[in-house]
Each structure stands twice: as C-alpha cells, then as structure tokens.
Amino acid sequence: MNWDDLRFFLSVARAGQIGRAAPGLRADPTTVSRRIRRLEKDIGQVLFEQDRDGQKLTAAGRALLIRAEEMEQSVSAIGEGSGGKGGPSGILRISASEGFGTWVIARHLHEFATKYPAITVDLAASSGFLSPGKRETDIAILLARPRKGPLLTRRLTEYSLGLYGSLDYLEAAGGVTSRDSLSAHRIIGYIPDQIYAPELDYLSELLPGVEACLRSSSINAQQRMCQAGAGLAILPDFIGGQDEKLQRVLPDFTLRRAFWIAIHQDVRNLARVSLFNDWLTELVATQARILTVS
C-alpha cells in the first residue's frame, strides 16, 4: 500500500466530492480518482459509492476513515511535540455559520495565521454546519448545543439581532414608526424551507404573520439586499452594526441568540485545536461590543 494514498482518501472522505478535494491536494480530479482506485485495489474493498452529490463512504470506507484519522492524529501529535522551528502545524478545519464565519472569524483570522504560520486553517463558513461528531470538522461553532455525540461543548458567546434598513431606503419609505407599520415595507428574510436551524426562524418574533418577499438562504445576500435599499432585514448586530450604510430601527426590538462551540473529544488535545479554541475565546471577548447591544 502507498501510504500517501490515505491522504487522498481522507481528503475525499471529508470533502464528499473528488472535485472539491482535488485543489487542496494540488492534483487534478483524474489523479485523485486514480489514487483512490489504487487504494481500493490494494486493500481489496470498495471505499466510495457514487451518488448524485458526489462520493459517499461505504461501510468499509467508514471503517477505514476511523483508522486513517487515528494515524493522522498520531503523526500530528509527533510533529507538534517535536519542538521544531515551525511550531504547531497541521490542517485545522473550522465550521461556522456564514455570518459569524465571514464577519467575525474571517476578519481576524490573519492574526491567528501570523502567530501560528505552520497551521493551515480551513474555514467552512456556509449556510449549514459540518459535523464534529462525524469528524467532518475539528471545531464547529453552532447555533444550538449539540445533544449527542462524543463532543466537548460550551457556550461561546451571546449575540443580538435587530431590524435594519439602508439610509436611502428609510428616507424614501418614510422610516419605521412601529411594528404595525411593517406591512407597508418590503421584508427581507430566509427561504422558509431552507432554514437550516430553528434559531433562524425569527420573523414571527418581529410581527406575527409577517412574511418576507425577498428571500435568500444566505445572510450575506440578505445584508447586501438590505444595503442596496431593497427593504428591511433582521440582521445580527455584528453584521448590521458594522455597515455604515445601514441603520437600526425599532430600538425596542432585539433578539438574542447564542453560539456554541463543539470539539470532538478525540482531537481536543491537539495543539492546533487548543490554540484556536483559546484564540477564538479571546476574540469574542474583545468583540463583545459588536456582538451584542445592551
């Protein structure tokens, strides 16, 4: 067996698609496919099944994933404990909501990278989350505390949300005087059947029966529509409050939510995981002013 083929296997297993795994492996999809087929031939088992979304692990693939990750962690632990000049190293995968990942983590990630240059960080900031319990990510920042899985979890920070509109829109529409006046305004929000967490289903908390007429699964798209004067949107204050083109309206309306951090117990002692955990904790402490309003 070519042990480097396991690296290709791990990347495809985590990405779920050969095409998505190829850039990180600095190889073309044909090469990745050839390496996977060679590994399957060497061990005499089929590791992936093709479905409409890409490559899905077989039972044999899931079993190998566990062993391959154990080997990866052992190698990482040796490297981290070697006292080399590069310091802690390896690949660290972080999963976060699109908003928090973009507006908080991404804006400061250069600070972590400067301090720990040998650590490669994969930031998956999207509508939905990778699962630390399924080993899709090392650290996940979630909207609710996970109820099961071999995870270490804690409340990371509270954050608040408010109703925002662009200065141009509010001038043209005449402002927002009360919640009852919202029927005269265009509302921007999520696509109902694509709300991936119940914590995001909050329009009814603004006004029972209110519906969005401009909808997107992306909070960043909602922010851009709001900024362009398309209507009013409920945005996290760490998004709306950092956009000088937006104004918060209805000061009596504030929603409060929380982010939870989850780490698979098998990786909790890896230096890169511990360092990022500590860094993120310090970061949210320094960003308290933009995360919540009083």
Side-chain angles (χ1 to χ4, degrees), residues 2-219:
N2 185 323
W3 294 104
D4 194 50
D5 289 346
L6 285 174
R7 181 170 62 89
F8 281 71
F9 166 76
L10 281 170
S11 293
V12 175
R14 289 165 175 165
Q17 289 183 359
I18 286 176
R20 276 203 301 241
L25 292 166
R26 293 187 173 89
D28 59 79
T30 301
T31 299
V32 177
S33 296
R34 185 173 65 251
R35 298 289 287 270
I36 295 299
R37 289 196 300 270
R38 184 170 70 183
L39 179 61
E40 290 178 327
K41 181 178 179 181
D42 287 344
I43 65 177
Q45 292 179 309
V46 176
L47 302 174
F48 294 100
E49 294 176 344
Q50 180 74 39
D51 65 14
R52 63 180 184 179
D53 296 320
Q55 279 63 47
K56 181 180 179 181
L57 285 168
T58 63
R62 290 192 295 271
L64 180 61
L65 179 61
I66 294 172
R67 300 296 297 274
E69 287 186 326
E70 289 174 350
M71 294 170 62
E72 181 186 50
Q73 290 168 32
S74 296
V75 172
S76 296
I78 293 171
E80 291 177 348
S82 64
K85 293 181 180 180
S89 62
I91 298 174
L92 177 67
R93 178 163 291 185
I94 309 299
S95 173
S97 66
E98 182 188 24
F100 187 75
T102 302
W103 290 80
V104 179
I105 296 178
R107 287 189 166 192
H108 298 273
L109 196 55
H110 66 282
E111 300 166 6
F112 182 85
T114 299
K115 197 170 183 179
Y116 306 107
I119 297 177
T120 298
V121 179
D122 292 343
L123 175 59
S126 59
S127 299
F129 300 94
L130 300 179
S131 170
K134 296 179 181 178
R135 304 302 302 279
E136 295 171 337
T137 186
D138 298 309
I139 299 175
I141 295 92
L142 307 167
L143 293 171
R145 185 171 192 169
R147 298 300 180 187
K148 59 182 180 179
L151 305 172
L152 301 177
T153 63
R154 64 180 175 85
R155 188 185 181 99
L156 178 62
T157 184
E158 183 181 78
Y159 70 100
S160 58
L161 305 96
L163 187 65
Y164 285 86
S166 73
L167 299 177
D168 291 341
Y169 174 84
L170 294 171
E171 182 179 353
V176 183
T177 57
S178 68
R179 297 194 197 188
D180 292 336
S181 70
L182 290 173
S183 59
H185 294 271
R186 287 191 300 269
I187 304 298
I188 300 164
Y190 283 99
I191 301 170
D193 62 0
Q194 293 186 27
I195 293 177
Y196 59 89
E199 291 77 14
L200 300 178
D201 191 11
Y202 38 55
L203 271 184
S204 62
E205 296 180 55
L206 174 63
L207 184 70
V210 69
E211 294 184 358
C213 61
L214 297 174
R215 310 187 296 193
S216 175
S217 60
S218 164
I219 190 64

